[in-house]
Every structure is written in C-alpha cells, then in structure tokens.
Amino acid sequence: MADPLGCLDDYITAFEATWPARSRAPVGPFIYRDGAGGGSRTSAATLAGDVSSDALDQIEARFAADARPALFQIRTGEATFDALLAERGYTMFDPTLCLAAPIETFAPSDPKCSYVSWPPVSIQREMWAEGGIGPARLAVMDRACTPKTSLLGRIKDRPAGVGFVALSGSIAVLHALETAPSERRQGMAQILVRLAADWARAQGATALALQVTRANTAAVALYSSLGLHEIGQYHYRTKPMTEA
C-alpha cells in the first residue's frame, strides 16, 4: 500500500523551498549553501552523491575559503557519511525530527482567535524577535516560495503566537512557530498548527509538515497529539575552522 504522505524526498524539497538559503551550489557530491545568517538549515552543506575522503577535503576547503566553520546536515540513510565526519572530529548537534500528517487530520481553527496575512505586521516581527528570530530569518521568509503567509494567534485579544507557512507542490510546511512566554500552556501552538492547516487546505495542500528538535519534548508530544508523525530525521555536524 502506498504511503498516503508520499515520498520523503518530496518533503526534503519542500523544507528547502519554504525555508531557502540565499544561494546554493554544487561542490563535488555536495550542495554548498550560504544562509546569510539564517541559521543552520540554510547554511549547512548536504550530501547529494557518493561521499569520499577527497570530496570531503574539497568542500572543507570551500568552507575555509569562505572563512566559515564546516557545517553539514546528515539525513536519514546517511550513516556512512555520518561516520566519516565523526572520524574527522566533527561534533554532532540538534538531532531533529521531520513530522507530517495528511491535511484532513486537522480540525478547523477558531477564526475568532487567529488570522493569516502577508507580509507580517510589526507585532509579529516583534514577537519573532523576542524568540530569537531576527532580520536574517525574516529574510529567509521573504525568499521563500509562494504561496506563503504569516500566522497570528490571540488570547483574549492579546497577540499570543506567530508562525510562518508556505506551500511547495502539495506540501505545506510550518516554520518559526513562537508563543509569547506569558501566553504559554494555553493551547496557542495547537491553534496555530490548525490555522496553518486551514490555510494550506485552501491552497490545495494534501499534507502539512514541520521540523522540531528531539530535545523539545513538549513540542514533540503536542505535535504527536495533533496527528503529526515522523517521516524522517536529520542532525548536524560541525567543527571549528582551525580544525577543518
């Protein structure tokens, strides 16, 4: 029986299209990215072919030429590549889950406490900034494929949560979900996930996906309760420039 969520490669494509690097270029069997300060997802190199020590030397030289620490994202099924990086002294960080669910999984959102708009308004930008999502990550949203929108949730007429969602093919991806510290544990994340699903459904999406670090156990539990389940995973490896 075919998986109703489709192929993992389609989700990898959607994750990048909806949260893109400033530039990307092939370097041997790798894709080299410049994220312009937009975080690890937009700045990590990924494997796109057969790994070898010579190819790794080549891309390490590219990182060094750009005065950047070498940074790689290692995805599901890349154990050989991961082991090679570990042998070279790369440190692992941020194990991350890729989650998805069919769009019909999600109950409708409450229109009285949430809405969508593009571009984001000032209060959304302020709330993102409080959560560490500054101008470089807002620039990632600006670069992202369309259609796209921002999410704003309210509790008792107070801005309480924000998010960003964009569509790639039939897959909508939710990013940058932030709840105001004073409004946590009141269901705002659930409201925003359902709002994202409503918007995605109206765009013709068949699935909603997102990424969450394993360490964020509360978020993992919430997303699981909403019907999202693991379709893949990745982590990063890096080491200082002086060791590359």
Side-chain angles (χ1 to χ4, degrees):
M1 180 180 298
D3 187 337
L5 286 173
C7 174
L8 177 58
D9 287 346
D10 291 338
Y11 286 87
I12 291 172
T13 297
F15 289 140
E16 182 157 11
T18 58
W19 197 258
R22 180 173 65 181
S23 65
R24 64 199 300 276
V27 177
F30 296 96
I31 301 297
Y32 180 85
R33 293 173 180 82
D34 174 8
S40 296
R41 272 186 286 169
T42 62
S43 303
T46 53
L47 186 63
D50 295 329
V51 67
S52 68
S53 292
D54 288 346
L56 192 51
D57 290 342
Q58 182 183 6
I59 196 165
E60 285 181 335
R62 174 63 183 269
F63 275 109
D66 289 344
R68 296 177 54 196
L71 174 64
F72 297 93
Q73 185 189 89
I74 299 91
R75 298 167 174 166
T76 300
E78 296 179 343
T80 299
F81 176 37
D82 192 40
L84 180 57
L85 291 174
E87 289 172 4
R88 292 201 177 197
Y90 281 78
T91 301
M92 184 179 76
F93 68 99
D94 277 357
T96 298
L97 299 176
C98 303
L99 307 179
I103 207 71
E104 63 267 20
T105 301
F106 303 96
S109 62
D110 184 347
K112 298 189 298 296
C113 59
S114 57
Y115 72 92
V116 300
S117 67
W118 189 263
V121 297
S122 59
I123 187 60
Q124 290 170 290
R125 295 175 181 272
E126 291 169 11
M127 293 178 68
W128 270 318
E130 290 173 2
I133 298 172
R137 285 176 169 82
L138 294 179
V140 175
M141 299 180 199
D142 288 337
R143 290 194 298 267
C145 62
T146 55
K148 60 188 173 186
T149 196
S150 66
L151 315 174
L152 178 63
R154 293 180 178 275
I155 295 176
K156 296 181 180 179
D157 291 328
R158 298 189 305 272
V162 290
F164 170 76
V165 61
L167 185 69
S168 172
S170 62
I171 299 169
V173 186
L174 175 60
H175 301 275
L177 193 154
E178 291 287 334
T179 300
S182 61
E183 309 297 342
R184 289 175 182 165
R185 302 183 187 280
Q186 299 188 62
M188 179 47 56
Q190 177 175 304
I191 288 169
L192 291 174
V193 171
R194 288 177 172 166
L195 178 61
D198 278 352
W199 176 86
R201 189 180 294 112
Q203 307 303 315
T206 61
L208 178 69
L210 55 82
Q211 297 156 302
V212 60
T213 59
R214 284 188 179 276
N216 192 348
T217 54
V220 172
L222 169 67
Y223 297 142
S224 177
S225 74
L226 291 174
L228 290 140
H229 62 268
E230 182 179 341
I231 57 169
Q233 55 187 288
Y234 64 83
H235 59 269
Y236 298 98
R237 284 194 182 270
T238 190
K239 65 179 177 179
M241 288 174 55
T242 55
E243 298 179 14

